[in-house]
Amino acid sequence: MSVIASALAVLMLPVKFTTGEVNELSQINRALRFDPGNTTLLAQRFEVLQERVQQTSGRLETLRSAQEDVNRSFANGDIDASSYREFNRELASTESLLNNLRQAAEQTNLDINPNVDTSRLARARQELSRLGDEARQAGQEIG
């Protein structure tokens, strides 16, 4: 297996949340259905979402740092089109997951503190969307 293929195999591992993390957020969400204004539960939800945002951000940074190498490898014929498309799908789905997690965290923060200024978060979301569009365009130009 080539170095590029090994790197792709490592990068293609999806962001995994432990069963405990998934269960914890599910339990918090279930409890919030019965008491939507409970600030303790909202704070816990916000904390769990922030942890997931950090994990997913790290994953996205790793994918983005490898994107140029993957593009070059595809252009040189070192990886096949299927692997290239798979990498781009993973990049796009990680961007989408991160965006969804950030929106959920932002909404939870607003539920806790309705007077919070979210203009920085909105700008960050717009920047993330712009970067995603640029990544997709670069992938289309190459593939």
Side-chain angles (χ1 to χ4, degrees):
M1 183 179 258
S2 72
V3 175
I4 298 292
S6 298
L8 277 175
V10 169
L11 288 172
M12 297 319 294
L13 295 173
V15 175
K16 295 286 185 188
F17 300 114
T18 65
T19 304
E21 290 172 328
V22 172
N23 286 340
E24 181 179 18
L25 189 57
S26 295
Q27 290 171 354
I28 293 168
N29 288 335
R30 198 171 308 120
L32 280 168
R33 280 189 224 137
F34 297 108
D35 189 4
N38 187 315
T39 55
T40 301
L41 293 173
L42 288 169
Q44 289 177 7
R45 182 172 192 254
F46 183 73
E47 183 179 331
V48 170
L49 287 168
Q50 286 298 100
E51 290 170 4
R52 289 192 180 177
V53 164
Q54 288 177 347
Q55 291 172 334
T56 307
S57 291
R59 170 90 174 140
L60 185 57
E61 286 176 29
T62 301
L63 290 168
R64 284 188 177 149
S65 67
Q67 185 174 20
E68 187 176 318
D69 291 335
V70 170
N71 290 344
R72 190 177 320 109
S73 296
F74 178 68
N76 293 338
D78 295 334
I79 60 172
D80 62 7
S82 174
S83 296
Y84 179 74
R85 288 189 303 267
E86 184 178 0
F87 176 85
N88 283 309
R89 280 192 307 274
E90 182 65 26
L91 180 65
S93 66
T94 302
E95 287 173 341
S96 178
L97 174 61
L98 181 59
N99 190 31
N100 290 339
L101 289 169
R102 283 184 174 159
Q103 287 177 355
E106 180 181 337
Q107 183 58 51
T108 302
N109 194 27
L110 285 173
D111 291 344
I112 297 169
N113 304 306
N115 298 326
V116 171
D117 176 21
T118 59
S119 59
R120 285 185 359 175
L121 290 172
R123 284 191 302 273
R125 186 178 332 135
Q126 289 173 345
E127 179 66 14
L128 180 63
S129 177
R130 183 187 64 78
L131 291 172
D133 292 342
E134 288 177 8
R136 275 188 286 284
Q137 183 180 10
Q140 290 173 350
E141 288 174 3
I142 292 173

